[in-house]
């Protein structure tokens, strides 16, 4: 491979990587806010994304609902679904046994139920394409070619992340969420309603997944198995240290770029291995993640 | 009473191939294989409280190692069974060493990603696995005799299963088993008692990979064909569901779960989408209302009923 | 004067900007009960966690029986002969009383393959039975730890630590939440362990009645610094101690 081509690939990889990476970053954000507050890695996150994508597809294509109504409705459905799961199922699971393993198993259960339900509707069996809401004309940036849709995806993801960080850092709700993540008992003492915060966080995480679904669906063929994109979200979260929100975002972009570069420089089939390799590399070189500071000491 | 029950079960298992059809023997082989897979899952999740989501990948490693040992090296099957277990354990040791350096959940995530990656390897490494065409598994041999039918394989599969059950019981009752449970119940207390926590987790993880590898070799004895599609996350979830239905943390639960739920899943094979919904619902409902499994749930309710 | 079994030399622990323990030194004499007291947040538990190797001090040295253990991992302490209990119970809740105590004997079960696989290694069962007898847990052998009442859970913590056959026993508030009768039992048990078995005990405790009755020596910490040390009698009358506990006015009254 000559230098010219390598440079071209590099630019293209970084550009496309930033676009898909922004979606992985959203997904990682959704995973990490749940993990930070309840120590549960949500294995249903990918299927929450998938199911939200199908809700949107159903509303758009099969109900011919206008965009301005279908998008908020999808997000609301995702929020409500995730919040409901937390409120009804996880509360009862935690009540039945104190073991965190049981909570994880329940999320695995949810992932399977959602997958099966989507298949059952009949929409999930054949691959479907999600209509692009923005034109897919190409624009050249440097030597990289990106579509207007790509730019819209990146832009929207960045705006959503900014809104999220503002909410998390500067509103009363965000403060309550942070306090629950740091010390649930103390948060409860100062009057934070733990149950409500947990439910809201799950809802929020569902809504973010729904946005990620709306962004990524036009770029993928939709199937009931598209939730496996969550592996990339997990990889992003691990790169970021798994408890750091800015880490999750940077991790998302890194994973996106690595994935695209592997696709261009190695082979498109090797893309599947990229998240695994990224996870392993991080575990070998910097197990606390790029943003995981010191290890929290358990008080005994 | 308990001894009598065990003896009766054993007698039933021994005479089974004499009185039943070929399909039943095939199913019995399959359920026994799942039993060993479940025992492996039981050790890592039930005993040590650590999450491993790569059981299917280790199962696959066992199948292909055994296939390779049979054809390329022409080993007798006891040797290839052992080799399958050891190769799986070795791979598990490498993954576990990395994953267990940090947070607990990294084991779950790393094994999840590892499972996906292994499925890719199974699909791509055509010379060993046949890739997307699947692999015709060569028959296992012992002293020049080939095991070609389910019926011939059954005694061997049964013997290995009994051996693995015995090993699991031995481990659970031993100092090692106590160390596993100590880690599960309280890591800080385990440390203070001189239990090397990380090593203990690693041993549990490698042991569970060993069991899955042996299960792979068992599968290779009676099966003639394997496709990478059946070595994905779905199989891991199936094993997890079995262990959960039987009851996390109990050996008899793991065995019972493998058999009861193995039969159910065989019935469900015709309807894949229902299958997913049912697995998922079972996991959720059991975690909500019967976290100690079906048998404990029935037992508790019978007691309550008797008292009322 | 007998030899010190444990020496803590100029230990400092910082959490971020907060200095939890500041240049703290301590000597615990073989065969004595040494109490570490002080108001909440004085750094007692932090010191404890340094000795049992759960925390790493930023500077200073910890020497046990002539060996520097400042860099040893926590899991090696049981093998060295240092046992600890936990302030907020850390029992193996789903396991039986017997199993809890057997895990305490983990380091004595031997390293051979046979020893690893033995269900009830005869070498340790005798001692375990003795511990169960002595702590009065015999009627509860088969009970799950989580089903015991609080007093017995506290006793189980102690029994599990004793199964380590320690030379130094670190007890973090063993009497907290106990009733008077239970404290009296604890008092007798600890005194007996030290007088007849030659055990050395370092105890963090808020229950002054127990501290004053059993301790040979008392060290008082406040804001991470040692403010007094001596016999219970000396410490009780020390103005600095009274001030730390009750405030300035009381000290001058």
């Amino acid at each position: 491979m000559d230098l010219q081509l390598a440079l071209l690939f590099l630019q293209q990889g970084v550009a496309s990587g930033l676009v898909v990476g922004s979606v992985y970053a959203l997904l990682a954000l959704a995973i990490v806010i749940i993990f930070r507050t309840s120590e549960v890695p949500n294995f249903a996150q990918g299927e929450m994304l998938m199911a939200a994508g199908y809700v949107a597809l159903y509303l758009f294509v099969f109900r011919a609902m206008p965009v301005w109504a279908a998008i908020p409705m999808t997000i609301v459905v995702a929020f409500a679904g995730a919040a409901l799961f937390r409120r009804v199922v996880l509360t009862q699971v935690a009540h039945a046994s104190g073991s965190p393993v049981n909570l994880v198993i329940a999320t695995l259960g949810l992932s399977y139920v959602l997958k099966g339900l989507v298949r059952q509707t009949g929409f999930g069996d054949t691959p479907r394409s999600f209509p692009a809401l923005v034109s897919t004309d190409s624009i050249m940036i440097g030597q990289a070619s990106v579509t207007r849709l790509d730019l819209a995806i990146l832009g929207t993801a960045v705006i959503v992340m900014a809104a999220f960080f503002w909410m998390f850092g500067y509103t009363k709700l965000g403060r309550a969420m942070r306090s629950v993540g740091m010390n649930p008992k103390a948060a409860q003492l100062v009057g934070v309603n733990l149950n409500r915060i947990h439910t809201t966080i799950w809802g929020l995480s569902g809504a973010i997944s729904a946005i990620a679904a709306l962004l990524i669906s036009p770029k993928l063929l939709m199937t009931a198995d598209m939730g496996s994109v969550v592996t990339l979200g997990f990889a992003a979260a691990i790169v970021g240290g798994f408890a750091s929100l800015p880490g999750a975002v940077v991790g998302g972009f890194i994973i996106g770029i690595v994935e695209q570069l592997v696709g261009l420089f190695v082979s498109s089939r090797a893309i599947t291995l990229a998240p695994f390799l990224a996870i392993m590399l991080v575990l070998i070189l910097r197990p606390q993640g790029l943003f995981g500071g010191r290890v929290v000491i358990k008080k005994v | 009473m308990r001894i009598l029950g065990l003896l009766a079960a054993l007698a039933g298992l021994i005479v089974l191939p004499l009185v039943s059809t070929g399909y039943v023997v095939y199913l019995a082989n399959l359920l026994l294989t799942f039993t060993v897979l479940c025992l492996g899952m039981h050790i890592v999740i039930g005993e040590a409280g650590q999450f491993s989501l790569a059981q299917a990948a280790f199962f696959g490693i066992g199948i292909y190692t055994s296939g390779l040992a049979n054809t390329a090296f022409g080993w007798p099957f006891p040797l290839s069974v052992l080799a399958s277990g050891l190769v799986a354990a070795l791979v598990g040791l490498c993954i576990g060493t990395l994953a267990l350096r940090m947070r607990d959940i990294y084991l779950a995530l790393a094994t999840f990603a590892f499972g996906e990656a292994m499925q890719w390897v199974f699909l791509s490494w055509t010379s060993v696995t046949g890739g997307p065409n699947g692999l015709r598994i060569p028959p296992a041999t012992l002293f020049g005799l080939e095991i070609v039918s389910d019926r011939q394989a059954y005694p061997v599969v049964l013997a290995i299963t009994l051996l693995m059950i015995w090993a699991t019981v031995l481990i659970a009752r031993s100092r090692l088993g106590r160390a596993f449970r100590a880690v599960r119940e309280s890591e800080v207390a385990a440390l203070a008692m001189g239990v090397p926590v990380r090593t203990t987790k690693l041993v549990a993880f490698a042991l569970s990979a060993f069991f899955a590898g042996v299960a792979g070799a068992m599968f290779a004895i009676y099966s003639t064909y394997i496709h990478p599609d059946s070595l994905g996350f779905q199989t891991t979830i199936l094993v997890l569901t079995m262990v959960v239905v039987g009851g996390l943390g109990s050996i008899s639960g793991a065995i019972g779960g493998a058999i009861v739920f193995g039969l159910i899943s065989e019935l469900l094979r015709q309807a894949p989408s229902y299958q997913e919904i049912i697995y998922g619902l079972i996991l959720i409902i059991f975690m909500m209302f019967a976290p100690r499994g079906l048998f404990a749930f029935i037992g508790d309710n019978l007691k309550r009923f008797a008292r009322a | 004067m007998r030899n010190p079994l444990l020496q803590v030399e100029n230990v400092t622990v910082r959490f971020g900007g907060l200095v939890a323990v500041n240049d703290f030194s301590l000597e615990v004499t073989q065969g004595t009960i040494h109490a570490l007291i002080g108001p909440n947040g004085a750094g007692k538990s932090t010191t404890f966690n340094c000795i049992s190797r759960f925390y790493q001090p930023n500077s200073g040295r910890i020497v046990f029986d002539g060996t520097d253990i400042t860099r040893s991992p926590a899991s090696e302490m049981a093998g060295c002969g240092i046992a600890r209990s936990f302030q907020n119970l850390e029992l193996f809740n789903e396991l039986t009383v017997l199993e809890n105590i057997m895990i305490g004997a983990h380091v004595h079960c031997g390293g051979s393959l046979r020893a690893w696989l033995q269900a009830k290694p005869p070498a340790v069962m005798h001692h375990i039975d003795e511990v169960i007898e002595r702590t009065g847990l015999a009627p509860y052998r088969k009970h799950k730890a989580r089903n015991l009442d609080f007093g017995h859970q506290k006793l189980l913590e102690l029994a599990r630590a004793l199964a380590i056959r320690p030379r130094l026993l670190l007890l973090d508030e063993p009497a907290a939440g106990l009733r008077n009768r239970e404290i009296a039992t604890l008092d007798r048990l600890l005194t007996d362990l030290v007088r007849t078995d030659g055990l050395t005990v370092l105890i963090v405790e808020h229950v002054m009645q127990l501290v004053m009755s059993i301790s040979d020596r008392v060290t008082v910490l406040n804001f991470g610094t040692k403010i007094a040390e001596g016999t219970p009698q000396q410490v009780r009358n020390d103005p600095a101690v009274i001030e730390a506990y009750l405030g300035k006015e009381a000290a001058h009254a």
Side-chain angles (χ1 to χ4, degrees):
Chain A
M1 185 182 291
D2 60 72
L3 187 67
Q4 209 69 50
L5 191 63
L7 269 177
L8 175 70
F9 274 12
L10 197 63
Q11 288 180 39
Q12 185 63 50
V14 170
S16 320
L18 284 175
V19 173
V20 288
S22 68
V23 180
Y24 302 155
L26 280 179
L27 206 48
L29 213 53
I31 292 167
V32 170
I33 48 168
I34 287 181
F35 182 75
R36 279 234 327 200
T37 43
S38 48
E39 295 277 312
V40 177
N42 177 16
F43 276 94
Q45 204 80 48
E47 278 65 32
M48 277 157 64
L49 171 138
M50 182 272 297
Y54 274 95
V55 169
L57 182 78
Y58 174 73
L59 295 176
F60 269 138
V61 179
F62 294 91
R63 291 261 133 194
M65 210 182 244
V67 177
W68 57 263
I71 290 179
M73 198 152 163
T74 305
I75 295 173
V76 166
V77 168
F79 185 100
L84 203 68
F85 178 72
R86 150 74 213 178
R87 196 55 183 256
V88 175
V89 176
L90 291 187
T91 315
Q92 172 61 29
V93 173
H95 175 73
S97 150
S99 168
V101 165
N102 292 21
L103 293 169
V104 181
I105 292 175
T107 69
L108 281 167
L110 176 65
S111 79
Y112 264 63
V113 169
L114 288 175
K115 226 193 268 191
L117 281 178
V118 167
R119 269 196 238 283
Q120 204 55 44
T121 59
F123 297 130
D125 275 346
T126 43
R128 287 168 196 276
S129 50
F130 194 85
L133 301 174
V134 181
S135 98
T136 49
D137 299 341
S138 305
I139 308 171
M140 298 300 287
I141 298 178
Q143 286 176 292
S145 137
V146 291
T147 63
R148 284 180 197 281
L149 176 68
D150 286 340
L151 291 179
I153 291 173
L154 181 60
T156 314
V158 168
I159 291 169
V160 170
M161 283 186 265
F164 174 79
F165 278 103
W166 172 79
M167 189 283 299
F168 203 69
Y170 296 102
T171 65
K172 201 176 159 207
L173 180 66
R175 262 201 304 281
M177 287 177 179
R178 277 182 297 158
S179 70
V180 170
M182 281 182 248
N183 189 341
K185 273 188 196 133
Q188 200 166 24
L189 282 178
V190 297
V192 173
N193 181 338
L194 280 189
N195 227 332
R196 188 180 304 159
I197 291 295
H198 278 302
T199 308
T200 316
I201 284 171
W202 271 81
L204 202 60
S205 173
I208 295 175
S209 308
I211 295 169
L214 289 166
L215 296 178
I216 196 89
S217 293
K219 288 186 72 82
L220 298 173
L221 273 182
M222 292 183 75
T223 68
D225 293 313
M226 72 185 272
S228 62
V229 68
V230 77
T231 319
L232 294 150
F234 276 127
I238 289 183
V239 169
F242 223 87
S244 151
L245 294 170
V249 171
V250 177
F253 285 115
I254 290 177
I255 291 291
I257 292 170
V258 168
E259 186 201 42
Q260 295 299 314
L261 290 179
V262 167
L264 288 169
F265 282 96
V266 187
S267 83
S268 60
R269 289 189 59 218
I271 280 188
T272 329
L273 277 185
F276 175 71
L277 293 179
I279 290 176
M280 281 301 145
L281 272 180
V282 170
L283 290 178
I284 293 167
L285 300 176
R286 202 176 150 76
Q288 71 273 41
L290 300 179
F291 283 73
R294 67 198 166 84
V295 186
V296 183
I297 302 167
K298 190 183 179 221
K299 183 157 165 50
V300 284
Chain B
M1 194 50 212
R2 203 161 162 193
I3 298 286
L4 282 179
L6 283 176
L7 284 177
L10 193 61
L13 283 169
I14 289 172
V15 300
L16 181 89
L18 304 174
V19 297
S20 54
T21 62
Y23 174 71
V24 173
V25 178
Y26 162 77
L27 198 59
N29 280 335
L30 198 64
L31 292 184
L32 290 174
T33 310
F34 271 120
T35 303
V36 174
L37 273 173
C38 284
L39 289 173
M41 195 74 127
H42 159 78
I43 288 175
V44 73
I45 297 190
E47 292 272 337
Q50 304 301 307
F51 229 113
S52 165
L53 293 172
Q55 229 39 17
F58 292 125
F59 183 54
I61 291 175
I63 295 175
Y64 293 123
T65 306
S66 164
L68 208 61
N70 291 349
T71 38
F73 308 123
W75 287 359
F77 78 83
L79 211 55
S80 57
V81 171
L82 194 63
S84 302
L86 288 179
V87 170
L90 206 66
V91 176
L93 217 50
C94 296
I95 303 288
T97 310
L98 295 177
L100 285 170
R101 287 208 296 168
M102 277 302 278
R103 296 167 194 284
D104 267 5
I105 53 141
Y106 277 14
L107 186 63
L109 297 172
T111 50
F112 175 70
F114 169 72
E116 305 276 298
M118 274 321 282
Q119 209 182 5
W120 182 87
V121 172
F122 294 153
L123 272 169
S124 313
W125 196 357
T126 322
S127 60
V128 174
T129 67
N133 296 324
L135 178 75
R136 289 201 63 79
I137 303 174
T141 58
L142 183 63
F143 309 127
L145 295 170
E146 287 196 341
I147 298 176
V148 284
S149 74
D150 288 327
R151 235 174 258 276
Q152 284 169 325
Y154 179 78
V156 175
V157 171
L158 180 62
I160 298 176
T161 309
L162 293 176
L163 198 68
M164 298 309 270
I165 293 176
W166 176 73
T168 315
V169 173
L170 200 68
I171 291 167
R173 291 175 46 191
S174 73
R175 181 189 184 201
L176 185 60
R178 281 196 300 275
F180 286 163
R181 292 188 290 278
V183 168
R184 178 189 76 198
E185 295 291 320
S186 164
E187 287 188 21
V188 281
L191 268 182
M193 303 300 127
V195 176
V197 169
R198 204 196 300 160
T199 314
T200 307
K201 289 180 187 171
L202 198 57
V203 170
F205 181 59
L207 260 176
S208 95
F210 179 85
F211 273 64
V214 167
M218 289 164 69
F219 182 81
I221 291 175
Y222 62 86
S223 288
T224 50
Y225 180 76
I226 181 71
H227 190 275
D229 273 356
S230 37
L231 299 173
F233 199 53
Q234 178 106 11
T235 305
T236 300
I237 291 292
L238 175 60
V239 176
L240 179 66
T241 315
M242 289 172 170
V243 177
V244 164
V245 166
L248 277 178
S250 111
I251 297 177
S252 48
I255 300 168
I259 290 167
V260 170
F261 199 72
L263 288 171
I264 297 177
S265 78
E266 189 64 18
L267 291 174
L268 286 174
R269 273 228 317 223
Q270 314 308 325
S273 63
Y274 283 118
Q275 191 181 336
E276 281 172 337
I277 297 176
I278 290 171
Y279 288 2
L281 279 180
I282 285 180
L283 287 178
I284 293 177
I285 290 170
F286 269 80
M287 287 300 103
M288 285 171 82
F289 302 109
R292 287 170 52 233
L294 184 64
F295 306 112
F297 184 75
I298 293 174
D300 290 351
N301 280 298
L302 279 182
K303 257 184 241 156
R304 203 176 307 157
F305 184 73
R307 245 183 277 131
Chain C
M1 182 77 187
R2 280 174 290 180
N3 295 330
L5 182 64
L6 175 77
Q7 291 155 284
V8 176
E9 296 170 3
N10 311 99
V11 161
T12 299
V13 185
R14 284 183 218 99
F15 294 124
L18 180 82
V19 182
V21 176
N22 189 11
D23 197 27
F24 176 73
S25 298
L26 177 76
E27 281 196 357
V28 180
T29 311
Q30 175 103 44
T32 62
I33 299 184
H34 196 129
L36 195 56
I37 64 170
N40 282 324
K44 307 178 299 289
S45 285
T46 308
T47 309
F48 237 64
N49 283 327
C50 283
I51 300 170
S52 59
R53 308 296 315 112
F54 279 79
Y55 292 176
Q56 189 59 43
N58 296 79
S59 62
R61 230 159 67 98
I62 299 164
V63 180
F64 177 69
D65 198 20
T67 317
D68 188 336
I69 57 166
T70 322
R71 304 256 148 220
S72 310
S75 62
E76 278 177 16
M77 290 303 102
C80 291
I82 300 180
R84 68 165 292 173
S85 73
F86 293 89
Q87 185 181 340
N88 307 309
L89 296 167
E90 281 287 346
L91 292 171
F92 306 120
N93 275 322
E94 296 296 319
L95 308 184
T96 63
V97 166
L98 178 63
E99 269 195 301
N100 267 275
I101 298 175
M102 283 185 76
I103 294 167
H106 184 82
V107 292
H108 296 293
C109 292
S112 71
L113 185 66
R114 183 150 168 271
W116 267 104
L117 293 176
Q118 251 166 354
K120 293 194 170 169
V124 298
M125 288 319 285
H126 178 70
H127 180 246
I128 286 175
D129 288 337
E130 193 189 307
V131 166
I132 293 179
E133 259 340 294
R134 231 169 150 176
T135 46
L137 286 167
Y140 307 101
R141 279 174 88 99
K142 300 232 155 118
H143 289 226
K144 273 190 184 178
R146 101 184 125 97
N147 295 336
L148 296 178
D149 62 59
F150 185 75
H152 283 104
Q153 288 187 333
K154 279 280 195 188
L155 267 181
L156 179 54
E157 276 261 337
L158 180 62
R160 192 178 61 178
L162 288 176
I164 293 175
R165 284 188 238 176
R167 284 190 291 155
L168 174 66
L169 182 58
L170 305 169
L171 296 176
D172 200 348
E173 302 197 19
L178 293 189
R179 287 171 291 202
N180 279 334
R181 191 167 43 82
E182 293 164 332
I183 293 177
T185 314
L186 184 67
D187 186 331
R188 267 199 308 278
L189 182 59
L190 287 179
T191 314
D192 185 45
L193 283 166
V194 173
R195 302 295 170 252
T196 58
D197 300 47
L199 192 67
T200 310
V201 178
L202 178 62
I203 180 171
V204 164
E205 190 50 80
H206 281 296
V207 179
M208 283 307 138
Q209 156 207 355
L210 182 71
V211 170
M212 292 304 159
S213 131
I214 63 171
S215 309
D216 297 297
R217 236 179 142 65
V218 179
T219 298
V220 189
L221 263 175
N222 197 18
F223 298 116
T225 314
K226 189 197 296 194
I227 57 169
E229 188 168 69
T231 64
Q233 201 57 42
Q234 289 167 338
V235 164
R236 199 192 329 234
N237 299 325
D238 192 310
V241 177
I242 299 170
E243 186 185 317
Y245 271 91
L246 300 170
K248 248 188 167 59
E249 294 77 24
H252 294 289

